[in-house]
Amino acid sequence: MTPHDANGLDIDAALAAMTLEEKASLSLGSDFWHTAAVERVGVPSVMLADGPHGLRKQPEGGDHVGLGGSVPATCFPTAAALGSSWDADLVRRVGEALGRDARVERVSVLLGPGINIKRSPLCGRNFEYLSEDPLLSGVLGAAMVDGVQSQGIGTSLKHYAANNQETDRLRVSADVDERPLREIYLAGFEHVVTRAQPWTVMCAYNRVNGTYASQHRWLLTAVLRDEWGFRGLVVSDWGAVADRVAALAAGLDLEMPPNLGVSDAALVAAVRSGELDEAALDTSVRRVLELVARAQPALADPGEVDVEAHHDLARQAARESAVLLKNEGVALPLSLGAGQTLAVVGEMARTPRYQGAGSSQVVPTRLDAALHQLEALVPDGVTVRFAPGHELGSAEPDDALVAEAVQAVRGADAVVVLLGLPAEEESEGFDRTHMDLPADQTALLAAVAEAATAPVVVVLSNGSAVRVSDWEHHADALLECWLPGQAGGGAIADLLLGLASPSGRLAETLPLRLEDNPSYLSFPGDSGHVRYGEGVFVGYRGYDARDQAVSYPFGHGLSYTTFAYGGLALEVLGSVEAGDLRVVVRCTVANTGERSGAEVVQVYVRDPECSVARPVRELKGFVKARLAPGESALVDVELDQRAFAYWSTTVHGWVVEGGAFEIVVGSSSRDLRLTGTVDITAPTRRAPISTTSTLEEWLADPAARAALASLFADQAGQVGGFLAEGDLVKVIGNFPMDRLAAFPGFGLDRATLDRLAAGLRQH
Ligand code: BGC
């Protein structure tokens, strides 16, 4: 896009021709979903709409909080489900479909993906987020952005940053140390921005370390633009702006929805008074104009949507996202023949729970219920018996419904029970207070399991993780489907009947109980602050560091077939010194069973010795390999330098400490199949030596050590003074040098220390 011919909009000319008031008007929307137009200079408005798993375009003149009805659109599986697919190619295709849905409706920016880290299972919006791991969130987030944007439609990467809870979300300060902020909470955003350049980034509602994300200069400009090279526009979350002038100065380009007559007037007044440099306003307005220009080709050619094809894709995506947690006695797939009976229990079999509530709620083009899909797909001559078993939204067991369900499963040849979280328990706007299924549902399961003679298969529909440890003994098989979108019912039928093999993997750990979660003691905070006390030990990083038993580990998921791993080969390319280190991890994976299936080969890196506390192992690469029975494939995963680095709070940068690193290839974070070691050479990066560095730090630095040694050399050239006394050096090693220099008779006075330190600085 050249500035003078930006899809029919001459950005330079428009900017030069606009009055201050017109420019101010462009830095906020004109209504809930549109940017402002400036007709006098030929600037049209464009529309933004939610996001992220389906288009939520409100008809003209929608309600005042933006949460009312919307035009029908394909409701794809929610992010909790898509995250469990571990399939970037699939997510890209879903993104393309979302882009087409937006394009045909003349929506220019889809407000997603949401890639905040699932810090706690209680976060009310976990269904809208991908994972507890930043690499998985980043890779799938980038795929979604690529897919949507390939259709000429923009995305909004959200919510930047550290928006990991709903409690007090418009004010709470997420107090996060520098290292977890970089390694866990920003890493996914960095990945998406640097690899996929979303058209827009949406700032979060909350404060980060005391400052509103909407006016956080370090986040919005220093990191996002100066470090990561973001070239798009920053939009506020809806209502996130507390001070429009401060927000603009920090790098927030577009306020949504607009605080009309207030924010624009404040910007004009601030420029007039000299408080705000007009150049800063121009920069933001230019970004709005660039967005408007980018949107024009799709608006001129909205294309068409094949609603059926999108529904089929939604079904495939739901299938790929379901996680088979357990399958004792090969309860699945169901094998049924003529004359046999399948008992289906649970209200969710006919009233699907398929998406979450709040700004992402889509009006689906169609909705498939598992019950009807099973009825349609079971072999001829199979009878399907249904009993709802409970009432949605009631926690008290209904004896009559339970008795009916017990009757339905008696003598049945297969028993499927659909359970899940009721819609009112998880939504944008509030967090959960526990992670249990409703008591009436677990009581129903216990009763049904006692009466059943066939294996009991439980199918779960929930957007955030539920505790399974206290009831899963009633289930022989457990299929976690998350909130699988409008075609989830068909996907459930496909998987239960073996028309496809499950291939999803957990994108978050299922703990034995909520109290085990690393954030438990500091979620959701109080008095306006939430302290991210677990540091980098989020999710599996925390469970593994404490070697805690869990119900199902990160990365876990079974298949109807089995896989064998072999032939691990590691190749080190480039170097840390040159900044281009890469390690190619190669292995073979073979389908050793009798059905087609897909294995997610996961590569974890472990740094056994490091000067900072690091997680036991961290996911650094993965590949989903689809294999026919007997087929094997060579899998290649390339790790870059970052895969070995931690964020150093002394040098304020990424540091790879040289030495041996373990590369572990696994089928989950706790099912490790192959291990190898690479030796990595890296220059030592230490904070510069100063007068307040400790004796230990001086001795660890070759130049500083030499300076001290020559100062304390006796006539024979031997090290003398206190340096000769090894035990003493050990005891006083953690003293800063300026304190030691103040000790009477120490042999090193302050002036000498200053001279040595100055010499080292010039070094
Ligand atoms: C949500 C965003 C959403 C926006 C517009 C906000 O309340 O946090 O995710 O895109 O509303 O609906």
Side-chain angles (χ1 to χ4, degrees), residues 32-33 49-52 56 65-67 111-112 125 128-129 158-159 163 166 169 202 205 236-239 358-360 428:
F32 230 88
W33 303 114
D50 285 300
R56 188 176 69 95
V65 285
L67 289 176
L111 301 175
R125 280 184 104 168
E128 279 188 72
Y129 299 143
K158 67 190 188 182
H159 308 88
N163 181 179
E166 294 298 281
R169 69 170 161 158
M202 186 190 291
Y205 282 131
S236 70
D237 197 347
W238 267 232
S359 62
S360 68
E428 176 178 346

Side-chain angles (χ1 to χ4, degrees), residues 221-358:
T221 299
V223 172
L224 182 64
R225 293 189 187 280
D226 301 345
E227 277 188 35
W228 300 346
F230 177 59
R231 296 191 293 274
L233 165 148
V234 176
V235 59
S236 70
D237 197 347
W238 267 232
V241 172
D243 175 337
R244 184 66 188 100
V245 175
L248 191 119
L252 185 121
D253 304 304
L254 178 65
E255 175 186 316
M256 291 299 286
N259 192 354
L260 290 170
V262 176
S263 290
D264 38 358
L267 289 172
V268 169
V271 171
R272 292 237 160 87
S273 71
E275 182 196 345
L276 181 70
D277 189 350
E278 187 163 357
L281 180 60
D282 286 353
T283 301
S284 280
V285 172
R286 177 180 289 281
R287 292 185 190 130
V288 176
L289 295 175
E290 281 168 358
L291 179 73
V292 170
R294 279 177 133 173
Q296 296 313 308
L299 288 168
D301 175 15
E304 283 171 13
V305 162
D306 181 342
V307 175
E308 281 310 302
H310 282 193
H311 185 79
D312 291 347
L313 177 61
R315 181 168 179 153
Q316 189 198 341
R319 236 173 10 224
E320 297 278 333
S321 303
V323 184
L324 181 60
L325 294 172
K326 83 171 185 185
N327 194 13
E328 277 169 12
V330 198
L332 283 176
L334 303 175
S335 102
L336 290 161
Q340 293 192 307
T341 302
L342 163 65
V344 178
V345 172
E347 182 58 51
M348 288 181 190
R350 68 173 174 193
T351 311
R353 177 87 209 295
Y354 63 104
Q355 66 172 331

Side-chain angles (χ1 to χ4, degrees), residues 186-207:
L186 296 187
F189 285 95
E190 178 181 6
H191 187 97
V192 181
V193 167
T194 54
R195 314 278 168 122
Q197 279 293 342
W199 288 15
T200 81
V201 165
M202 186 190 291
C203 80
Y205 282 131
N206 49 283
R207 301 175 207 242

Side-chain angles (χ1 to χ4, degrees), residues 183-521:
E183 290 186 25
I184 307 291
Y185 298 99
L186 296 187
F189 285 95
E190 178 181 6
H191 187 97
V192 181
V193 167
T194 54
R195 314 278 168 122
Q197 279 293 342
W199 288 15
T200 81
V201 165
M202 186 190 291
C203 80
Y205 282 131
N206 49 283
R207 301 175 207 242
V208 179
N209 293 325
T211 304
Y212 281 114
S214 60
Q215 51 199 58
H216 208 301
R217 211 191 130 69
W218 180 81
L219 275 178
L220 301 187
T221 299
V223 172
L224 182 64
R225 293 189 187 280
D226 301 345
E227 277 188 35
W228 300 346
F230 177 59
R231 296 191 293 274
L233 165 148
V234 176
V235 59
S236 70
D237 197 347
W238 267 232
V241 172
D243 175 337
R244 184 66 188 100
V245 175
L248 191 119
L252 185 121
D253 304 304
L254 178 65
E255 175 186 316
M256 291 299 286
N259 192 354
L260 290 170
V262 176
S263 290
D264 38 358
L267 289 172
V268 169
V271 171
R272 292 237 160 87
S273 71
E275 182 196 345
L276 181 70
D277 189 350
E278 187 163 357
L281 180 60
D282 286 353
T283 301
S284 280
V285 172
R286 177 180 289 281
R287 292 185 190 130
V288 176
L289 295 175
E290 281 168 358
L291 179 73
V292 170
R294 279 177 133 173
Q296 296 313 308
L299 288 168
D301 175 15
E304 283 171 13
V305 162
D306 181 342
V307 175
E308 281 310 302
H310 282 193
H311 185 79
D312 291 347
L313 177 61
R315 181 168 179 153
Q316 189 198 341
R319 236 173 10 224
E320 297 278 333
S321 303
V323 184
L324 181 60
L325 294 172
K326 83 171 185 185
N327 194 13
E328 277 169 12
V330 198
L332 283 176
L334 303 175
S335 102
L336 290 161
Q340 293 192 307
T341 302
L342 163 65
V344 178
V345 172
E347 182 58 51
M348 288 181 190
R350 68 173 174 193
T351 311
R353 177 87 209 295
Y354 63 104
Q355 66 172 331
S359 62
S360 68
Q361 197 162 336
V362 175
V363 174
T365 57
R366 180 173 139 185
L367 182 57
D368 291 350
L371 176 60
H372 308 131
Q373 296 296 315
L374 282 165
E375 284 168 344
L377 283 180
V378 287
D380 287 345
V382 171
T383 307
V384 178
R385 272 189 222 144
F386 171 67
H390 69 107
E391 219 181 296
L392 282 176
S394 139
E396 293 299 314
D398 180 319
D399 293 343
L401 290 178
V402 173
E404 186 196 9
V406 163
Q407 199 52 39
V409 303
R410 277 217 174 99
D413 300 288
V415 175
V416 173
V417 185
L418 281 93
L419 306 175
L421 287 177
E424 57 278 11
E425 283 201 21
E426 48 179 351
S427 163
E428 176 178 346
F430 59 89
D431 295 315
R432 294 188 299 167
T433 52
H434 61 80
M435 56 182 297
D436 297 323
L437 281 180
D440 63 332
Q441 293 191 30
T442 49
L444 168 70
L445 175 65
V448 161
E450 202 182 322
T453 41
V456 173
V457 174
V458 169
V459 175
L460 290 172
S461 301
N462 43 281
S464 22
V466 293
R467 179 180 187 182
V468 299
S469 59
D470 49 344
W471 54 261
E472 68 160 316
H473 53 280
H474 295 306
D476 297 281
L478 203 48
L479 183 66
E480 172 60 89
C481 296
W482 306 107
L483 297 180
Q486 69 179 46
I492 290 170
D494 292 342
L495 293 170
L496 293 181
L497 296 172
L499 303 176
S501 179
S503 63
R505 300 290 184 266
L506 287 179
E508 59 188 300
T509 311
L510 298 190
L512 285 170
R513 48 184 202 141
L514 174 66
E515 291 84 341
D516 294 343
N517 180 262
S519 76
Y520 179 70
L521 291 179

